[in-house]
Amino acid sequence: MKPTFSIIIPVYNGEKHIEQCIIKLLQQSYNYYEVIIINDGSIDKTEEIVKAYERKYGALRLISKKNEGVSVARNVGIEAAQGDYILFVDSDDTLNTNALEILANRIERDNKDLLLFGFTVTGGNNRPNDTEVLNQLANGSYIGNHVILKRIISANNNVMGY
C-alpha cells in the first residue's frame, strides 16, 4: 500500500540524536508512512546507526550522499518520496506517537493540502518557538490565508522551518 506520509530526515553528524528520532517515528500509531533518512556526508557513526534500523524495519530507507547541505538533502528526499504528503523532521526532533494519526484525521476531515503545526522546544538553546507564531495565526493576529502564506515564505520574521 502506498504510504500517506513520507517523513524526510536530513542528517549530518547526528549520532547523538538520530536513534531517538527513529525510535519515536517507529512507534507511530498510524501505519501508512515511510521514513527516508538522507545522510548528508556524516563523518561520525550516523550511517552505521541508521543502517542497523534500516535492516530491521521496512518503512525506513537510508540514502547516503556527499555533504551538500540540508536543502540539497531535503530535495533528495523529496525525489525519493512515495507518500502523498511530506513531513520534514530534523534528526534531533521527535514526533508524538499519535502525530501522524492526528495529521491523517485532519487531512481527511478538512481536505487540506497543507497543515502547519507547532512544536515544543525542550533544549535550552534560546531558539524561538514556532508554536507561538502559529498560535498568533490561529488567534486571528493575521487575517486571511494569503497573509499566512506570505508569512511562511517571507525572508523576514517568517515561520521558521516551513
Side-chain angles (χ1 to χ4, degrees):
M1 177 174 235
K2 181 179 177 182
T4 303
F5 299 106
S6 293
I7 302 169
I8 299 171
I9 307 170
V11 59
Y12 175 75
N13 290 345
E15 69 181 7
K16 293 179 182 174
H17 307 286
I18 191 67
E19 189 166 17
Q20 184 63 29
C21 178
I22 292 169
I23 288 168
K24 292 298 278 186
L25 288 173
L26 294 174
Q27 293 173 345
Q28 288 296 306
S29 60
Y30 186 83
N31 294 320
Y32 303 107
Y33 67 96
E34 65 177 348
V35 178
I36 304 168
I37 299 176
I38 312 301
N39 178 27
D40 192 31
S42 296
I43 56 175
D44 64 359
K45 294 186 188 217
T46 297
E47 185 169 16
E48 181 181 321
I49 293 166
V50 176
K51 278 185 177 181
Y53 281 93
E54 183 184 35
R55 286 190 291 270
K56 291 181 185 179
Y57 300 97
L60 192 142
R61 276 190 288 159
L62 170 67
I63 299 173
S64 292
K65 55 177 277 324
K66 70 178 185 171
N67 181 260
E68 296 178 280
V70 68
S71 295
V72 173
R74 283 184 177 149
N75 287 335
V76 168
I78 290 169
E79 290 294 322
Q82 298 176 7
D84 295 322
Y85 295 89
I86 292 174
L87 277 80
F88 294 117
V89 174
D90 290 338
S91 64
D92 59 349
D93 293 344
T94 59
L95 288 181
N96 291 338
T97 56
N98 62 343
L100 297 181
E101 184 176 358
I102 291 169
L103 291 173
N105 289 337
R106 286 295 298 268
I107 289 167
E108 186 175 327
R109 184 186 82 201
D110 298 339
N111 192 28
K112 299 294 182 187
D113 293 327
L114 174 69
L115 291 176
L116 300 178
F117 54 95
F119 63 90
T120 302
V121 176
T122 57
N125 57 4
N126 296 323
R127 180 176 174 194
N129 188 335
D130 285 359
T131 303
E132 295 168 15
V133 175
L134 293 173
N135 284 337
Q136 290 173 356
L137 294 173
N139 291 330
S141 297
Y142 303 95
I143 299 170
N145 289 337
H146 67 285
V147 175
I148 293 171
L149 184 58
K150 185 176 179 181
R151 179 81 189 263
I152 292 168
I153 61 175
S154 159
N156 296 322
N157 198 24
N158 69 341
V159 178
M160 299 176 311
Y162 298 100

PDB file of all heavy atoms in Angstrom, residues 68-105:
ATOM      1  N   GLU A  68      26.309  18.288   1.059  1.00  0.00           N
ATOM      2  CA  GLU A  68      25.954  19.443   0.235  1.00  0.00           C
ATOM      3  C   GLU A  68      24.971  20.371   0.951  1.00  0.00           C
ATOM      4  O   GLU A  68      24.499  21.323   0.360  1.00  0.00           O
ATOM      5  CB  GLU A  68      25.339  18.982  -1.084  1.00  0.00           C
ATOM      6  CG  GLU A  68      26.297  18.191  -1.949  1.00  0.00           C
ATOM      7  CD  GLU A  68      25.632  17.709  -3.213  1.00  0.00           C
ATOM      8  OE1 GLU A  68      24.910  16.695  -3.168  1.00  0.00           O
ATOM      9  OE2 GLU A  68      25.823  18.372  -4.260  1.00  0.00           O
ATOM     10  N   GLY A  69      24.664  20.074   2.184  1.00  0.00           N
ATOM     11  CA  GLY A  69      23.772  20.934   2.944  1.00  0.00           C
ATOM     12  C   GLY A  69      22.357  20.404   3.043  1.00  0.00           C
ATOM     13  O   GLY A  69      21.934  19.540   2.281  1.00  0.00           O
ATOM     14  N   VAL A  70      21.636  20.976   4.004  1.00  0.00           N
ATOM     15  CA  VAL A  70      20.303  20.485   4.344  1.00  0.00           C
ATOM     16  C   VAL A  70      19.299  20.655   3.198  1.00  0.00           C
ATOM     17  O   VAL A  70      18.451  19.783   2.992  1.00  0.00           O
ATOM     18  CB  VAL A  70      19.802  21.132   5.657  1.00  0.00           C
ATOM     19  CG1 VAL A  70      19.549  22.621   5.477  1.00  0.00           C
ATOM     20  CG2 VAL A  70      18.573  20.436   6.192  1.00  0.00           C
ATOM     21  N   SER A  71      19.374  21.727   2.442  1.00  0.00           N
ATOM     22  CA  SER A  71      18.415  21.940   1.351  1.00  0.00           C
ATOM     23  C   SER A  71      18.559  20.891   0.266  1.00  0.00           C
ATOM     24  O   SER A  71      17.557  20.356  -0.225  1.00  0.00           O
ATOM     25  CB  SER A  71      18.580  23.338   0.755  1.00  0.00           C
ATOM     26  OG  SER A  71      18.263  24.324   1.695  1.00  0.00           O
ATOM     27  N   VAL A  72      19.782  20.585  -0.114  1.00  0.00           N
ATOM     28  CA  VAL A  72      20.020  19.544  -1.122  1.00  0.00           C
ATOM     29  C   VAL A  72      19.560  18.192  -0.586  1.00  0.00           C
ATOM     30  O   VAL A  72      18.912  17.418  -1.288  1.00  0.00           O
ATOM     31  CB  VAL A  72      21.505  19.505  -1.550  1.00  0.00           C
ATOM     32  CG1 VAL A  72      21.780  18.318  -2.460  1.00  0.00           C
ATOM     33  CG2 VAL A  72      21.897  20.811  -2.239  1.00  0.00           C
ATOM     34  N   ALA A  73      19.861  17.912   0.683  1.00  0.00           N
ATOM     35  CA  ALA A  73      19.448  16.640   1.283  1.00  0.00           C
ATOM     36  C   ALA A  73      17.919  16.509   1.277  1.00  0.00           C
ATOM     37  O   ALA A  73      17.385  15.444   0.957  1.00  0.00           O
ATOM     38  CB  ALA A  73      19.997  16.526   2.703  1.00  0.00           C
ATOM     39  N   ARG A  74      17.222  17.574   1.627  1.00  0.00           N
ATOM     40  CA  ARG A  74      15.753  17.524   1.608  1.00  0.00           C
ATOM     41  C   ARG A  74      15.235  17.293   0.200  1.00  0.00           C
ATOM     42  O   ARG A  74      14.280  16.537  -0.003  1.00  0.00           O
ATOM     43  CB  ARG A  74      15.168  18.815   2.174  1.00  0.00           C
ATOM     44  CG  ARG A  74      15.252  18.869   3.675  1.00  0.00           C
ATOM     45  CD  ARG A  74      14.590  20.103   4.234  1.00  0.00           C
ATOM     46  NE  ARG A  74      14.639  20.059   5.684  1.00  0.00           N
ATOM     47  CZ  ARG A  74      14.709  21.111   6.456  1.00  0.00           C
ATOM     48  NH1 ARG A  74      14.733  22.329   5.918  1.00  0.00           N
ATOM     49  NH2 ARG A  74      14.741  20.983   7.759  1.00  0.00           N
ATOM     50  N   ASN A  75      15.856  17.924  -0.802  1.00  0.00           N
ATOM     51  CA  ASN A  75      15.431  17.712  -2.182  1.00  0.00           C
ATOM     52  C   ASN A  75      15.656  16.276  -2.625  1.00  0.00           C
ATOM     53  O   ASN A  75      14.836  15.721  -3.365  1.00  0.00           O
ATOM     54  CB  ASN A  75      16.133  18.692  -3.115  1.00  0.00           C
ATOM     55  CG  ASN A  75      15.596  20.104  -2.975  1.00  0.00           C
ATOM     56  OD1 ASN A  75      14.446  20.306  -2.570  1.00  0.00           O
ATOM     57  ND2 ASN A  75      16.415  21.083  -3.292  1.00  0.00           N
ATOM     58  N   VAL A  76      16.746  15.663  -2.192  1.00  0.00           N
ATOM     59  CA  VAL A  76      16.991  14.243  -2.484  1.00  0.00           C
ATOM     60  C   VAL A  76      15.871  13.406  -1.876  1.00  0.00           C
ATOM     61  O   VAL A  76      15.344  12.478  -2.496  1.00  0.00           O
ATOM     62  CB  VAL A  76      18.380  13.800  -1.951  1.00  0.00           C
ATOM     63  CG1 VAL A  76      18.526  12.285  -1.983  1.00  0.00           C
ATOM     64  CG2 VAL A  76      19.491  14.466  -2.769  1.00  0.00           C
ATOM     65  N   GLY A  77      15.479  13.738  -0.654  1.00  0.00           N
ATOM     66  CA  GLY A  77      14.382  13.032  -0.001  1.00  0.00           C
ATOM     67  C   GLY A  77      13.058  13.206  -0.728  1.00  0.00           C
ATOM     68  O   GLY A  77      12.294  12.243  -0.876  1.00  0.00           O
ATOM     69  N   ILE A  78      12.795  14.408  -1.199  1.00  0.00           N
ATOM     70  CA  ILE A  78      11.561  14.659  -1.947  1.00  0.00           C
ATOM     71  C   ILE A  78      11.522  13.793  -3.207  1.00  0.00           C
ATOM     72  O   ILE A  78      10.500  13.209  -3.543  1.00  0.00           O
ATOM     73  CB  ILE A  78      11.428  16.159  -2.308  1.00  0.00           C
ATOM     74  CG1 ILE A  78      11.158  16.981  -1.050  1.00  0.00           C
ATOM     75  CG2 ILE A  78      10.327  16.373  -3.350  1.00  0.00           C
ATOM     76  CD1 ILE A  78      11.284  18.485  -1.261  1.00  0.00           C
ATOM     77  N   GLU A  79      12.644  13.715  -3.896  1.00  0.00           N
ATOM     78  CA  GLU A  79      12.705  12.887  -5.120  1.00  0.00           C
ATOM     79  C   GLU A  79      12.441  11.411  -4.824  1.00  0.00           C
ATOM     80  O   GLU A  79      11.850  10.709  -5.639  1.00  0.00           O
ATOM     81  CB  GLU A  79      14.068  13.042  -5.797  1.00  0.00           C
ATOM     82  CG  GLU A  79      14.287  14.402  -6.429  1.00  0.00           C
ATOM     83  CD  GLU A  79      13.356  14.664  -7.599  1.00  0.00           C
ATOM     84  OE1 GLU A  79      13.069  13.751  -8.381  1.00  0.00           O
ATOM     85  OE2 GLU A  79      12.893  15.824  -7.707  1.00  0.00           O
ATOM     86  N   ALA A  80      12.857  10.931  -3.660  1.00  0.00           N
ATOM     87  CA  ALA A  80      12.687   9.524  -3.294  1.00  0.00           C
ATOM     88  C   ALA A  80      11.325   9.239  -2.666  1.00  0.00           C
ATOM     89  O   ALA A  80      10.919   8.082  -2.569  1.00  0.00           O
ATOM     90  CB  ALA A  80      13.793   9.109  -2.319  1.00  0.00           C
ATOM     91  N   ALA A  81      10.608  10.275  -2.268  1.00  0.00           N
ATOM     92  CA  ALA A  81       9.357  10.109  -1.525  1.00  0.00           C
ATOM     93  C   ALA A  81       8.269   9.470  -2.370  1.00  0.00           C
ATOM     94  O   ALA A  81       8.112   9.793  -3.544  1.00  0.00           O
ATOM     95  CB  ALA A  81       8.890  11.466  -1.001  1.00  0.00           C
ATOM     96  N   GLN A  82       7.519   8.575  -1.736  1.00  0.00           N
ATOM     97  CA  GLN A  82       6.398   7.907  -2.394  1.00  0.00           C
ATOM     98  C   GLN A  82       5.056   8.266  -1.768  1.00  0.00           C
ATOM     99  O   GLN A  82       4.011   7.900  -2.283  1.00  0.00           O
ATOM    100  CB  GLN A  82       6.605   6.393  -2.357  1.00  0.00           C
ATOM    101  CG  GLN A  82       7.836   5.953  -3.101  1.00  0.00           C
ATOM    102  CD  GLN A  82       8.090   4.455  -2.966  1.00  0.00           C
ATOM    103  OE1 GLN A  82       7.277   3.717  -2.423  1.00  0.00           O
ATOM    104  NE2 GLN A  82       9.232   4.010  -3.451  1.00  0.00           N
ATOM    105  N   GLY A  83       5.081   8.975  -0.655  1.00  0.00           N
ATOM    106  CA  GLY A  83       3.849   9.314   0.049  1.00  0.00           C
ATOM    107  C   GLY A  83       3.089  10.448  -0.601  1.00  0.00           C
ATOM    108  O   GLY A  83       3.605  11.178  -1.453  1.00  0.00           O
ATOM    109  N   ASP A  84       1.851  10.605  -0.162  1.00  0.00           N
ATOM    110  CA  ASP A  84       1.003  11.692  -0.644  1.00  0.00           C
ATOM    111  C   ASP A  84       1.377  13.025  -0.009  1.00  0.00           C
ATOM    112  O   ASP A  84       1.170  14.078  -0.602  1.00  0.00           O
ATOM    113  CB  ASP A  84      -0.465  11.390  -0.344  1.00  0.00           C
ATOM    114  CG  ASP A  84      -0.977  10.177  -1.101  1.00  0.00           C
ATOM    115  OD1 ASP A  84      -0.587   9.995  -2.275  1.00  0.00           O
ATOM    116  OD2 ASP A  84      -1.762   9.410  -0.518  1.00  0.00           O
ATOM    117  N   TYR A  85       1.900  12.967   1.219  1.00  0.00           N
ATOM    118  CA  TYR A  85       2.277  14.170   1.961  1.00  0.00           C
ATOM    119  C   TYR A  85       3.705  14.016   2.461  1.00  0.00           C
ATOM    120  O   TYR A  85       4.147  12.913   2.757  1.00  0.00           O
ATOM    121  CB  TYR A  85       1.339  14.398   3.159  1.00  0.00           C
ATOM    122  CG  TYR A  85      -0.073  14.695   2.741  1.00  0.00           C
ATOM    123  CD1 TYR A  85      -0.987  13.666   2.553  1.00  0.00           C
ATOM    124  CD2 TYR A  85      -0.483  16.001   2.517  1.00  0.00           C
ATOM    125  CE1 TYR A  85      -2.283  13.938   2.142  1.00  0.00           C
ATOM    126  CE2 TYR A  85      -1.773  16.282   2.113  1.00  0.00           C
ATOM    127  CZ  TYR A  85      -2.670  15.236   1.928  1.00  0.00           C
ATOM    128  OH  TYR A  85      -3.951  15.510   1.527  1.00  0.00           O
ATOM    129  N   ILE A  86       4.388  15.129   2.575  1.00  0.00           N
ATOM    130  CA  ILE A  86       5.780  15.137   3.024  1.00  0.00           C
ATOM    131  C   ILE A  86       5.881  15.873   4.347  1.00  0.00           C
ATOM    132  O   ILE A  86       5.294  16.952   4.505  1.00  0.00           O
ATOM    133  CB  ILE A  86       6.685  15.801   1.966  1.00  0.00           C
ATOM    134  CG1 ILE A  86       6.745  14.919   0.720  1.00  0.00           C
ATOM    135  CG2 ILE A  86       8.080  16.060   2.521  1.00  0.00           C
ATOM    136  CD1 ILE A  86       7.491  15.517  -0.445  1.00  0.00           C
ATOM    137  N   LEU A  87       6.624  15.277   5.269  1.00  0.00           N
ATOM    138  CA  LEU A  87       6.959  15.926   6.529  1.00  0.00           C
ATOM    139  C   LEU A  87       8.468  15.999   6.615  1.00  0.00           C
ATOM    140  O   LEU A  87       9.157  15.007   6.351  1.00  0.00           O
ATOM    141  CB  LEU A  87       6.469  15.114   7.731  1.00  0.00           C
ATOM    142  CG  LEU A  87       5.037  15.274   8.168  1.00  0.00           C
ATOM    143  CD1 LEU A  87       4.117  14.468   7.288  1.00  0.00           C
ATOM    144  CD2 LEU A  87       4.918  14.829   9.605  1.00  0.00           C
ATOM    145  N   PHE A  88       8.983  17.150   6.975  1.00  0.00           N
ATOM    146  CA  PHE A  88      10.407  17.289   7.248  1.00  0.00           C
ATOM    147  C   PHE A  88      10.602  17.222   8.755  1.00  0.00           C
ATOM    148  O   PHE A  88       9.970  17.971   9.502  1.00  0.00           O
ATOM    149  CB  PHE A  88      10.959  18.610   6.713  1.00  0.00           C
ATOM    150  CG  PHE A  88      10.926  18.724   5.221  1.00  0.00           C
ATOM    151  CD1 PHE A  88      10.163  19.687   4.604  1.00  0.00           C
ATOM    152  CD2 PHE A  88      11.672  17.860   4.430  1.00  0.00           C
ATOM    153  CE1 PHE A  88      10.132  19.805   3.226  1.00  0.00           C
ATOM    154  CE2 PHE A  88      11.648  17.962   3.048  1.00  0.00           C
ATOM    155  CZ  PHE A  88      10.875  18.939   2.447  1.00  0.00           C
ATOM    156  N   VAL A  89      11.467  16.334   9.172  1.00  0.00           N
ATOM    157  CA  VAL A  89      11.797  16.183  10.583  1.00  0.00           C
ATOM    158  C   VAL A  89      13.310  16.272  10.693  1.00  0.00           C
ATOM    159  O   VAL A  89      14.023  15.648   9.911  1.00  0.00           O
ATOM    160  CB  VAL A  89      11.287  14.820  11.124  1.00  0.00           C
ATOM    161  CG1 VAL A  89      11.749  14.575  12.542  1.00  0.00           C
ATOM    162  CG2 VAL A  89       9.761  14.742  11.033  1.00  0.00           C
ATOM    163  N   ASP A  90      13.801  17.040  11.633  1.00  0.00           N
ATOM    164  CA  ASP A  90      15.242  17.110  11.856  1.00  0.00           C
ATOM    165  C   ASP A  90      15.681  15.920  12.705  1.00  0.00           C
ATOM    166  O   ASP A  90      14.881  15.336  13.440  1.00  0.00           O
ATOM    167  CB  ASP A  90      15.625  18.416  12.553  1.00  0.00           C
ATOM    168  CG  ASP A  90      15.466  19.631  11.642  1.00  0.00           C
ATOM    169  OD1 ASP A  90      15.480  19.451  10.404  1.00  0.00           O
ATOM    170  OD2 ASP A  90      15.327  20.735  12.170  1.00  0.00           O
ATOM    171  N   SER A  91      16.948  15.575  12.621  1.00  0.00           N
ATOM    172  CA  SER A  91      17.455  14.380  13.301  1.00  0.00           C
ATOM    173  C   SER A  91      17.417  14.496  14.813  1.00  0.00           C
ATOM    174  O   SER A  91      17.481  13.485  15.514  1.00  0.00           O
ATOM    175  CB  SER A  91      18.882  14.071  12.840  1.00  0.00           C
ATOM    176  OG  SER A  91      19.754  15.120  13.216  1.00  0.00           O
ATOM    177  N   ASP A  92      17.274  15.698  15.341  1.00  0.00           N
ATOM    178  CA  ASP A  92      17.169  15.864  16.791  1.00  0.00           C
ATOM    179  C   ASP A  92      15.731  16.162  17.225  1.00  0.00           C
ATOM    180  O   ASP A  92      15.489  16.594  18.342  1.00  0.00           O
ATOM    181  CB  ASP A  92      18.113  16.961  17.290  1.00  0.00           C
ATOM    182  CG  ASP A  92      17.851  18.325  16.673  1.00  0.00           C
ATOM    183  OD1 ASP A  92      17.068  18.408  15.703  1.00  0.00           O
ATOM    184  OD2 ASP A  92      18.427  19.309  17.166  1.00  0.00           O
ATOM    185  N   ASP A  93      14.763  15.879  16.345  1.00  0.00           N
ATOM    186  CA  ASP A  93      13.347  16.058  16.647  1.00  0.00           C
ATOM    187  C   ASP A  93      12.703  14.713  16.944  1.00  0.00           C
ATOM    188  O   ASP A  93      13.188  13.662  16.510  1.00  0.00           O
ATOM    189  CB  ASP A  93      12.598  16.660  15.450  1.00  0.00           C
ATOM    190  CG  ASP A  93      12.999  18.082  15.135  1.00  0.00           C
ATOM    191  OD1 ASP A  93      13.629  18.730  15.992  1.00  0.00           O
ATOM    192  OD2 ASP A  93      12.688  18.537  14.020  1.00  0.00           O
ATOM    193  N   THR A  94      11.599  14.760  17.640  1.00  0.00           N
ATOM    194  CA  THR A  94      10.760  13.577  17.818  1.00  0.00           C
ATOM    195  C   THR A  94       9.311  13.987  17.579  1.00  0.00           C
ATOM    196  O   THR A  94       8.941  15.138  17.780  1.00  0.00           O
ATOM    197  CB  THR A  94      10.886  12.971  19.235  1.00  0.00           C
ATOM    198  OG1 THR A  94      10.520  13.942  20.202  1.00  0.00           O
ATOM    199  CG2 THR A  94      12.303  12.479  19.500  1.00  0.00           C
ATOM    200  N   LEU A  95       8.511  13.035  17.132  1.00  0.00           N
ATOM    201  CA  LEU A  95       7.077  13.254  16.965  1.00  0.00           C
ATOM    202  C   LEU A  95       6.346  12.476  18.051  1.00  0.00           C
ATOM    203  O   LEU A  95       6.750  11.352  18.388  1.00  0.00           O
ATOM    204  CB  LEU A  95       6.593  12.749  15.607  1.00  0.00           C
ATOM    205  CG  LEU A  95       6.975  13.528  14.365  1.00  0.00           C
ATOM    206  CD1 LEU A  95       6.371  12.873  13.126  1.00  0.00           C
ATOM    207  CD2 LEU A  95       6.515  14.973  14.442  1.00  0.00           C
ATOM    208  N   ASN A  96       5.275  13.050  18.575  1.00  0.00           N
ATOM    209  CA  ASN A  96       4.429  12.290  19.486  1.00  0.00           C
ATOM    210  C   ASN A  96       3.939  11.044  18.769  1.00  0.00           C
ATOM    211  O   ASN A  96       3.752  11.056  17.546  1.00  0.00           O
ATOM    212  CB  ASN A  96       3.233  13.127  19.946  1.00  0.00           C
ATOM    213  CG  ASN A  96       3.638  14.259  20.851  1.00  0.00           C
ATOM    214  OD1 ASN A  96       4.703  14.237  21.469  1.00  0.00           O
ATOM    215  ND2 ASN A  96       2.792  15.270  20.919  1.00  0.00           N
ATOM    216  N   THR A  97       3.679   9.975  19.514  1.00  0.00           N
ATOM    217  CA  THR A  97       3.336   8.698  18.892  1.00  0.00           C
ATOM    218  C   THR A  97       2.031   8.730  18.102  1.00  0.00           C
ATOM    219  O   THR A  97       1.815   7.873  17.253  1.00  0.00           O
ATOM    220  CB  THR A  97       3.265   7.571  19.945  1.00  0.00           C
ATOM    221  OG1 THR A  97       2.332   7.943  20.960  1.00  0.00           O
ATOM    222  CG2 THR A  97       4.623   7.308  20.559  1.00  0.00           C
ATOM    223  N   ASN A  98       1.180   9.706  18.342  1.00  0.00           N
ATOM    224  CA  ASN A  98      -0.069   9.796  17.585  1.00  0.00           C
ATOM    225  C   ASN A  98      -0.070  10.959  16.586  1.00  0.00           C
ATOM    226  O   ASN A  98      -1.111  11.299  16.031  1.00  0.00           O
ATOM    227  CB  ASN A  98      -1.258   9.913  18.529  1.00  0.00           C
ATOM    228  CG  ASN A  98      -1.213  11.166  19.379  1.00  0.00           C
ATOM    229  OD1 ASN A  98      -0.163  11.808  19.508  1.00  0.00           O
ATOM    230  ND2 ASN A  98      -2.342  11.515  19.968  1.00  0.00           N
ATOM    231  N   ALA A  99       1.073  11.543  16.337  1.00  0.00           N
ATOM    232  CA  ALA A  99       1.152  12.723  15.461  1.00  0.00           C
ATOM    233  C   ALA A  99       0.641  12.432  14.050  1.00  0.00           C
ATOM    234  O   ALA A  99      -0.157  13.206  13.502  1.00  0.00           O
ATOM    235  CB  ALA A  99       2.582  13.258  15.406  1.00  0.00           C
ATOM    236  N   LEU A 100       1.080  11.348  13.454  1.00  0.00           N
ATOM    237  CA  LEU A 100       0.651  11.044  12.080  1.00  0.00           C
ATOM    238  C   LEU A 100      -0.829  10.716  12.015  1.00  0.00           C
ATOM    239  O   LEU A 100      -1.515  11.074  11.048  1.00  0.00           O
ATOM    240  CB  LEU A 100       1.479   9.895  11.504  1.00  0.00           C
ATOM    241  CG  LEU A 100       2.971  10.161  11.345  1.00  0.00           C
ATOM    242  CD1 LEU A 100       3.659   8.947  10.745  1.00  0.00           C
ATOM    243  CD2 LEU A 100       3.241  11.397  10.510  1.00  0.00           C
ATOM    244  N   GLU A 101      -1.341  10.067  13.032  1.00  0.00           N
ATOM    245  CA  GLU A 101      -2.773   9.754  13.091  1.00  0.00           C
ATOM    246  C   GLU A 101      -3.600  11.043  13.158  1.00  0.00           C
ATOM    247  O   GLU A 101      -4.600  11.195  12.449  1.00  0.00           O
ATOM    248  CB  GLU A 101      -3.056   8.881  14.305  1.00  0.00           C
ATOM    249  CG  GLU A 101      -4.481   8.410  14.416  1.00  0.00           C
ATOM    250  CD  GLU A 101      -4.690   7.462  15.583  1.00  0.00           C
ATOM    251  OE1 GLU A 101      -3.729   7.123  16.305  1.00  0.00           O
ATOM    252  OE2 GLU A 101      -5.849   7.062  15.779  1.00  0.00           O
ATOM    253  N   ILE A 102      -3.161  11.975  13.976  1.00  0.00           N
ATOM    254  CA  ILE A 102      -3.846  13.270  14.077  1.00  0.00           C
ATOM    255  C   ILE A 102      -3.802  13.998  12.742  1.00  0.00           C
ATOM    256  O   ILE A 102      -4.816  14.536  12.270  1.00  0.00           O
ATOM    257  CB  ILE A 102      -3.224  14.125  15.201  1.00  0.00           C
ATOM    258  CG1 ILE A 102      -3.548  13.508  16.564  1.00  0.00           C
ATOM    259  CG2 ILE A 102      -3.711  15.566  15.120  1.00  0.00           C
ATOM    260  CD1 ILE A 102      -2.759  14.112  17.713  1.00  0.00           C
ATOM    261  N   LEU A 103      -2.627  14.018  12.115  1.00  0.00           N
ATOM    262  CA  LEU A 103      -2.499  14.682  10.810  1.00  0.00           C
ATOM    263  C   LEU A 103      -3.396  14.029   9.763  1.00  0.00           C
ATOM    264  O   LEU A 103      -4.074  14.720   8.995  1.00  0.00           O
ATOM    265  CB  LEU A 103      -1.049  14.670  10.344  1.00  0.00           C
ATOM    266  CG  LEU A 103      -0.090  15.549  11.126  1.00  0.00           C
ATOM    267  CD1 LEU A 103       1.345  15.306  10.655  1.00  0.00           C
ATOM    268  CD2 LEU A 103      -0.453  17.012  10.992  1.00  0.00           C
ATOM    269  N   ALA A 104      -3.402  12.708   9.719  1.00  0.00           N
ATOM    270  CA  ALA A 104      -4.229  11.989   8.741  1.00  0.00           C
ATOM    271  C   ALA A 104      -5.704  12.299   8.954  1.00  0.00           C
ATOM    272  O   ALA A 104      -6.449  12.511   7.982  1.00  0.00           O
ATOM    273  CB  ALA A 104      -3.974  10.487   8.838  1.00  0.00           C
ATOM    274  N   ASN A 105      -6.131  12.349  10.216  1.00  0.00           N
ATOM    275  CA  ASN A 105      -7.533  12.667  10.506  1.00  0.00           C
ATOM    276  C   ASN A 105      -7.886  14.089  10.095  1.00  0.00           C
ATOM    277  O   ASN A 105      -8.962  14.341   9.559  1.00  0.00           O
ATOM    278  CB  ASN A 105      -7.833  12.456  11.996  1.00  0.00           C
ATOM    279  CG  ASN A 105      -7.852  10.990  12.363  1.00  0.00           C
ATOM    280  OD1 ASN A 105      -8.061  10.122  11.527  1.00  0.00           O
ATOM    281  ND2 ASN A 105      -7.609  10.701  13.631  1.00  0.00           N
TER     282      ASN A 105
END
